Amino acid sequence: MLKYLFLFVGTSFCFAQQNWNTTFENGNGNQSVTYEDCIAFFKKLDAAFETITLQEMGNTDSGKPLHLILFSATKNFEFKNQKAKILINNGIHPGEPDGIDATMSLFRDLALQKISIPHNTLIAAIPVYNIDGMLNRNSSSRANQNGPEAYGFRGNGRNYDLNRDFIKSDTKNSRSFQALFHLVEPDVFLDNHVSNGADYQYTFTCIATQHERLGVKLGNYFATEMYPALVQDMQKKKIDVVPYVNVHSATPDKGFEQFTDTPRYATGYTTLFHTLGFVPETHMLKAFKDRVKVTYEFMVSAINYTDKNFQKIKQIKEENKLDFQPGKKYPIEWAIDSTQVSYINFKGYEGSYKPSAISGKPRLFYDRNKPFTKKIPFYGNYKATKFVTIPRAYIIPQTQWSVIELLKLNNITYAQFTKDTLIEVETYKIKDYKTSKSPYEGHYGHFSTQVTTQSEQLKCNKGDYYFSTAQFGVKYLVETLEPEAVDSFFNWNFFDTILQQKEYFSAYVFEDVAKKILDENPELKQIFEAKKKSDTTFAEDGAAQLDWIYKQTPYYEKAHLQYPVYRVN
Ligand SMILES: [Zn+2]
């Protein structure tokens, strides 16, 4: 408190005259703040107002700390025992800086009480998430964007897209975010962006997180109450909102689908913890000045809504948690439900094709002199296409420390075996998977993964981990530990060592062993002969036959394709 006393004694007379304009407000509307000025501005707010505090929240790849700015009307900055909490993230893509500048104005207006003050809600914001990206300031990396004059770069210092890093956590930013997220435990989360893609009349578009992933109760509330209320509130301010126009290299006339924000994305991640997530996506071709304004207004709408409805949000979150318990079915794969269509009175521009001046081939162009309002279909619903049953627990040997570290970072509680123990478990063998042919975000990830299951007695060593699923983070456990889930640790290469066989045999030696094995095991021999009859390629391939026999014997190593996370049912 000393800092405030000092400031009030020393500079209290200056407050009224203090210029609290931001870089954006001081310029002609086309300038975005630099990283240094942004943090300096928040430091100044922190020093001047007791309702504001700026905190450092762990490290980032840049070597600079991640910051969190907080506003509390009641000056209570404890994360526990708040009625409601909102977390706003900015600059995950620093080439899309609208939220950075809008958030500076927002906190200043909250501090100066220029706007209605939330009395039930703690407002938290990350001023800049991708710090090294923002420091990589330039005026060209957003080729199609209409301002600002200078901005940061999408990739971070190691060229990661931080908005794909929430599960694999290759960056320090992601790890610090996860720690921060679990400290704040927000009810509502906003991640501010600027869109690419088609041209249309809207300045503001929004990805509301795929509501089915939230669960039935919370998802329905989100899609049928909260989101429509925010859209209505924006309309009162004469700002039209349309779902993120998920169309690339084509016109939106035929309609479009809800964006899939799997757990690798910010809102996909926050959805795993019952947080209501929005991704404001302002339109790249609209003036920066207008984009910052609508981003600001959406944050205000979200704050007001949360502040008014905090009790209902809390209650539905509590009810929602009950649907994610051991023994319940959990969807791990989704597809658009084309039977459920809603219609949007879409405000677009006439799009057509003309010969390209470059190639002579047909090229798309939008005629801004031909605006239209057309009824187009929107496919906003997904249906689950694959389920797993939530086990009672997952057992992970302590050798798998890299995933255990991430589970701990996500506040997942656990027990450890106090002595060597035999326990009945369900195990997975990796039956099939495909691997990306080109690198994606530092990985050659897997997809279309399939497993087979079997029951066995597992010997757990003293110190191995037991993760009960009867806990808040159950969705995170299932999405990361079930290999078939799209953003599982398996698909993100955490377990690639099990895909490679370590020991093998020399055929000229094993030929004789194999013969002896078949002779001594008539049943095995029968299966072998049947396989040869039914599979002509196999019948012609001596090496494959020897390998098949090898894999039926104890010589074949158990670790190959054996998924080292075990289910307790
Ligand atoms: Zn973006």
Side-chain angles (χ1 to χ4, degrees):
M1 282 304 111
L2 256 184
K3 66 174 174 178
Y4 301 115
L5 277 178
F6 166 75
L7 277 164
F8 274 102
V9 171
T11 59
S12 60
F13 289 109
C14 307
F15 274 179
Q17 290 87 36
Q18 173 107 36
N19 181 358
W20 286 109
N21 277 3
T22 66
T23 303
F24 166 73
E25 292 159 346
N26 278 333
N28 64 6
N30 203 27
Q31 280 94 28
S32 180
V33 71
T34 61
Y35 173 75
E36 291 80 2
D37 288 352
C38 175
I39 299 303
F41 180 86
F42 283 121
K43 281 186 176 159
K44 224 169 68 172
L45 275 186
D46 174 19
F49 297 95
E50 284 190 299
T51 50
I52 298 262
T53 183
L54 182 70
Q55 301 182 0
E56 290 188 3
M57 290 281 178
N59 208 349
T60 68
D61 281 2
S62 68
K64 297 188 190 314
L66 196 62
H67 281 101
L68 188 69
I69 183 88
L70 298 164
F71 171 83
S72 164
T74 57
K75 299 161 199 166
N76 169 16
F77 299 106
E78 292 290 324
F79 297 112
K80 295 277 167 218
N81 303 321
Q82 294 278 353
K83 290 176 185 157
K85 288 169 279 184
I86 292 185
L87 176 63
I88 298 163
N89 191 32
N90 294 302
I92 194 168
H93 294 149
E96 308 165 14
D98 307 15
I100 297 172
D101 296 282
T103 299
M104 291 168 69
S105 301
L106 175 71
F107 275 76
R108 184 268 326 273
D109 290 349
L110 288 168
L112 291 173
Q113 305 193 12
K114 277 188 167 180
I115 51 174
S116 104
I117 298 304
H119 285 278
N120 305 311
T121 313
L122 177 70
I123 316 294
I126 296 171
V128 181
Y129 183 48
N130 179 356
I131 297 169
D132 24 13
M134 187 172 181
L135 291 170
N136 188 0
R137 201 166 159 92
N138 74 96
S139 299
S140 54
S141 60
R142 293 285 291 175
N144 298 327
Q145 194 169 289
N146 183 7
E149 283 168 8
Y151 42 76
F153 179 63
R154 185 182 185 91
N156 89 334
R158 295 162 66 214
N159 217 24
Y160 280 107
D161 184 336
L162 300 187
N163 202 22
R164 309 290 184 269
D165 198 35
F166 286 90
I167 295 297
K168 61 190 176 68
S169 301
D170 288 318
T171 64
K172 290 182 184 172
N173 303 54
S174 171
R175 287 164 191 254
S176 294
F177 179 93
Q178 290 171 47
L180 171 162
F181 178 81
H182 291 292
L183 206 60
V184 179
E185 264 190 28
D187 302 292
V188 174
F189 173 73
L190 309 182
D191 189 30
N192 289 319
H193 288 250
V194 180
S195 79
N196 297 317
D199 196 10
Y200 40 77
Q201 297 174 44
Y202 303 89
T203 305
F204 190 82
T205 83
C206 183
I207 303 173
T209 192
Q210 185 203 319
H211 66 268
E212 293 89 351
R213 284 181 188 272
L214 282 167
V216 175
K217 294 187 184 79
L218 199 58
N220 282 344
Y221 168 73
F222 180 74
T224 62
E225 285 192 45
M226 186 177 186
Y227 180 68
L230 292 183
V231 171
Q232 213 175 27
D233 194 48
M234 289 288 275
Q235 262 160 0
K236 274 192 211 149
K237 297 186 264 190
K238 305 220 173 335
I239 301 165
D240 282 329
V241 180
V242 73
Y244 172 65
V245 183
N246 192 13
V247 179
H248 305 274
S249 326
T251 63
D253 303 39
K254 293 189 182 63
F256 52 89
E257 297 172 352
Q258 157 84 26
F259 183 80
T260 316
D261 51 339
T262 68
R264 77 186 63 177
Y265 298 99
T267 48
Y269 169 81
T270 60
T271 290
L272 300 182
F273 302 98
H274 313 283
T275 299
L276 302 158
F278 298 93
V279 184
E281 291 265 6
T282 61
H283 188 233
M284 62 175 181
L285 296 178
K286 304 301 185 291
F288 182 59
K289 171 166 62 72
D290 300 331
R291 286 169 15 216
V292 174
K293 183 173 181 304
V294 295
T295 304
Y296 174 96
E297 289 300 343
F298 187 77
M299 292 193 287
V300 170
S301 292
I303 290 168
N304 290 341
Y305 181 90
T306 307
D307 204 52
K308 206 182 288 174
N309 295 284
F310 73 92
Q311 276 159 326
K312 191 163 192 189
I313 294 175
K314 277 262 183 298
Q315 180 208 327
I316 295 173
K317 270 177 76 169
E318 285 309 314
E319 290 169 15
N320 196 60
K321 282 181 208 166
L322 302 177
D323 289 339
F324 299 94
Q325 293 191 53
K328 298 241 183 197
K329 280 169 86 183
Y330 185 99
I332 53 163
E333 196 178 88
W334 300 88
I336 282 286
D337 183 352
S338 54
T339 64
Q340 292 200 52
V341 194
S342 58
Y343 289 90
I344 299 170
N345 280 320
F346 187 76
K347 296 180 177 180
Y349 292 119
E350 212 61 69
S352 55
Y353 290 84
K354 62 183 181 185
S356 157
I358 307 295
S359 63
K361 305 289 178 204
R363 56 147 283 187
L364 174 64
F365 78 102
Y366 288 93
D367 191 342
R368 287 201 160 183
N369 295 317
K370 290 181 183 164
F372 66 71
T373 303
K374 231 186 244 176
K375 201 171 151 186
I376 65 164
F378 174 61
Y379 301 92
N381 293 82
Y382 280 78
K383 56 174 188 262
T385 50
K386 198 188 255 185
F387 294 87
V388 292
T389 302
I390 302 176
R392 274 198 296 138
Y394 290 99
I395 290 175
I396 310 184
Q398 58 203 300
T399 48
Q400 302 295 339
W401 54 267
S402 62
V403 301
I404 292 168
E405 207 172 84
L406 288 177
L407 295 173
K408 286 180 181 175
L409 189 62
N410 279 281
N411 263 5
I412 303 292
T413 57
Y414 57 89
Q416 282 177 279
F417 288 93
T418 51
K419 57 177 198 273
D420 293 0
T421 310
L422 263 185
I423 191 164
E424 170 92 13
V425 295
E426 186 182 9
T427 73
Y428 287 143
K429 275 264 180 191
I430 304 299
K431 183 181 157 203
D432 199 12
Y433 62 96
K434 294 188 173 56
T435 301
S436 151
K437 295 271 183 292
S438 48
Y440 172 81
E441 292 303 320
H443 289 254
Y444 291 85
H446 308 306
F447 57 97
S448 301
T449 300
Q450 289 177 38
V451 297
T452 55
T453 61
Q454 63 186 69
S455 292
E456 68 174 58
Q457 292 282 318
L458 178 74
K459 186 184 162 257
C460 302
N461 293 322
K462 180 185 171 188
D464 285 348
Y465 286 78
Y466 183 95
F467 293 95
S468 163
T469 55
Q471 62 172 304
F472 180 67
V474 52
K475 294 175 73 180
Y476 180 83
L477 277 168
V478 174
E479 296 272 4
T480 58
L481 297 180
E482 288 295 330
E484 296 183 347
V486 57
D487 280 332
S488 66
F489 287 141
F490 174 84
N491 281 340
W492 280 115
N493 306 110
F494 280 83
F495 297 109
D496 276 5
T497 48
I498 65 166
L499 302 178
Q500 185 197 358
Q501 210 173 317
K502 292 289 181 295
E503 296 277 17
Y504 211 57
F505 57 84
S506 293
Y508 75 94
V509 184
F510 196 67
E511 280 281 354
D512 302 321
V513 181
K515 167 83 169 60
K516 195 159 171 260
I517 288 168
L518 287 185
D519 288 348
E520 287 170 2
N521 295 276
E523 244 176 74
L524 184 66
K525 187 166 185 177
Q526 212 174 7
I527 301 169
F528 175 67
E529 293 301 336
K531 186 167 170 60
K532 275 207 290 189
K533 266 199 194 116
S534 66
D535 184 343
T536 48
T537 324
F538 183 71
E540 292 305 313
D541 189 340
Q545 291 175 30
L546 209 57
D547 186 64
W548 185 90
I549 297 168
Y550 176 75
K551 286 192 168 138
Q552 315 304 316
T553 72
Y555 296 112
Y556 173 53
E557 64 210 50
K558 213 172 165 267
H560 186 215
L561 303 176
Q562 175 62 55
Y563 183 59
V565 175
Y566 306 92
R567 289 165 52 96
V568 182
N569 290 322

